[in-house]
Amino acid sequence: MKIAVSTDNHFDVSRIDPQEAVSRQAAYLRAQHVAVYVNGGDTFNDFTQTLRYFQELQRLVGPRTQVRFIAGNHDLVKGISYVGAQSALSPLYLHEQTLTLPGTDTVIIGNNGWYDYTLAPAALRAHKTPADFEQWKQAYWIDRNIDSPVGDQAREARVLATTEHALQAAAGKRVIYVTHFVPTQQLMGAIPDKARWQMVTALMGSARLGELLERYHVADVVFGHLHRRDLPLTLDHTTYHHQPMGYGLDRLMEWDSPDWFEQWTKTLVWLTA
């Protein structure tokens, strides 16, 4: 059973025609006989557009391919409340859900994820408080537009609690975990020695999530958000996959392919069950 995962398609930011995109993606998934396609977030800057896109993709691929998606921070800036984002609002929405793959020992667990400042450098955390990180976010970061009646650390605590519950329920199964935010310090890469980028690291994800996933021997973790691509990294029993598509703009070109479709196909994470 072939499983394909993609993250950070950013169709609107990169000015990609969604009708062309959904048609070409559907044709490719059918031709490749993909059984499950999961998108790990940041498809549009509007959740309603993201949901509509994956509903259309599911319609086009038909019943032989199951389509699922979670939301990244960009999807959450418009068209969805905090309560709505935590609800089972569509069969395609994999956040806090588990997809069982019939005839296999594999399940896919999805969670949007969030952050708790634990990926910030230790020297920064030593003299910055959670209130400092929150204040900086509200002043400078896109996530200030996301509805969040709870603080960042409380929001991440829910991620950890719901993830652990799902992992316990999947005991004895091979687990593929799909999230948007960064779950391990090991893939943060080099951090520029500039105040802005030092603060941004606090909003990238949670080291505690990776520790939890490794403790439960999750087989594969797919995430995005950093807009940098890395080779698979195995820590203990867990392999991390980070292959986001990224932005394709003249002023911010993150692709190493001449067009969006080739970049999407090149950055797909392929797994089997």
Side-chain angles (χ1 to χ4, degrees):
M1 181 179 290
K2 295 170 70 172
I3 302 163
V5 187
S6 181
T7 76
D8 297 272
N9 290 177
H10 289 288
F11 290 132
D12 49 355
V13 175
S14 297
R15 303 179 186 133
I16 298 166
D17 178 15
Q19 291 303 315
E20 176 195 354
V22 74
S23 177
R24 295 187 70 182
Q25 286 189 342
Y28 181 85
L29 295 172
R30 289 196 307 268
Q32 295 296 318
H33 305 290
V34 174
V36 182
Y37 175 66
V38 182
N39 187 282
D42 278 9
T43 306
F44 292 92
N45 283 19
D46 183 338
F47 190 91
T48 57
Q49 291 186 53
T50 296
L51 175 59
R52 186 163 57 243
Y53 184 89
F54 291 111
Q55 288 172 332
E56 178 64 5
L57 182 62
Q58 181 67 83
R59 186 187 72 80
L60 291 175
V61 296
R64 292 188 178 181
T65 300
Q66 294 191 71
V67 173
R68 296 293 186 273
F69 77 97
I70 58 172
N73 56 319
H74 280 253
D75 302 291
L76 297 172
V77 300
K78 183 180 178 183
I80 190 73
S81 67
Y82 172 79
V83 172
Q86 313 310 319
S87 66
L89 50 79
S90 166
L92 307 185
Y93 186 43
L94 196 58
H95 175 57
E96 296 185 354
Q97 302 295 318
T98 298
L99 177 64
T100 299
L101 305 184
T104 78
D105 66 346
T106 300
V107 299
I108 303 175
I109 297 173
N111 198 297
N112 298 343
W114 200 248
Y115 41 83
D116 56 8
Y117 318 139
T118 53
L119 292 179
L124 185 65
R125 285 184 281 117
H127 69 273
K128 294 290 185 182
T129 67
D132 292 329
F133 291 122
E134 174 66 25
Q135 182 180 35
W136 188 90
K137 181 181 81 170
Q138 293 301 325
Y140 301 109
W141 201 239
I142 187 174
D143 295 2
R144 67 183 180 272
N145 298 307
I146 299 172
D147 181 48
S148 194
V150 301
D152 293 328
Q153 291 173 312
R155 191 162 182 158
E156 179 60 26
R158 174 174 176 137
V159 171
L160 296 172
T162 56
T163 294
E164 184 157 25
H165 178 77
L167 292 173
Q168 290 171 344
K173 300 286 188 179
R174 172 175 173 261
V175 175
I176 297 170
Y177 186 87
V178 181
T179 189
H180 182 72
F181 293 87
V182 184
T184 176
Q185 186 77 53
Q186 299 300 313
L187 285 170
M188 282 295 290
I191 301 166
D193 189 19
K194 296 181 180 179
R196 172 182 171 83
W197 290 109
Q198 293 284 310
M199 292 298 284
V200 165
T201 60
L203 312 181
M204 290 295 100
S206 171
R208 295 166 65 202
L209 177 58
E211 293 166 1
L212 175 65
L213 298 174
E214 291 167 31
R215 188 162 71 247
Y216 277 86
H217 293 181
V218 169
D220 294 280
V221 179
V222 187
F223 69 99
H225 198 45
L226 286 180
H227 289 210
R228 188 195 69 242
R229 289 167 286 282
D230 298 283
L231 294 173
L233 173 68
T234 300
L235 300 175
D236 198 5
H237 298 272
T238 301
T239 300
Y240 292 91
H241 306 269
H242 181 237
Q243 289 287 312
M245 180 172 152
Y247 296 136
L249 297 169
D250 290 339
R251 63 179 176 81
L252 189 58
M253 178 53 69
E254 297 173 336
W255 300 347
D256 51 16
S257 302
D259 64 81
W260 76 265
F261 185 73
E262 183 177 330
Q263 185 68 14
W264 174 69
T265 59
K266 279 181 60 175
T267 55
L268 286 169
V269 174
W270 291 98
L271 300 168
T272 59

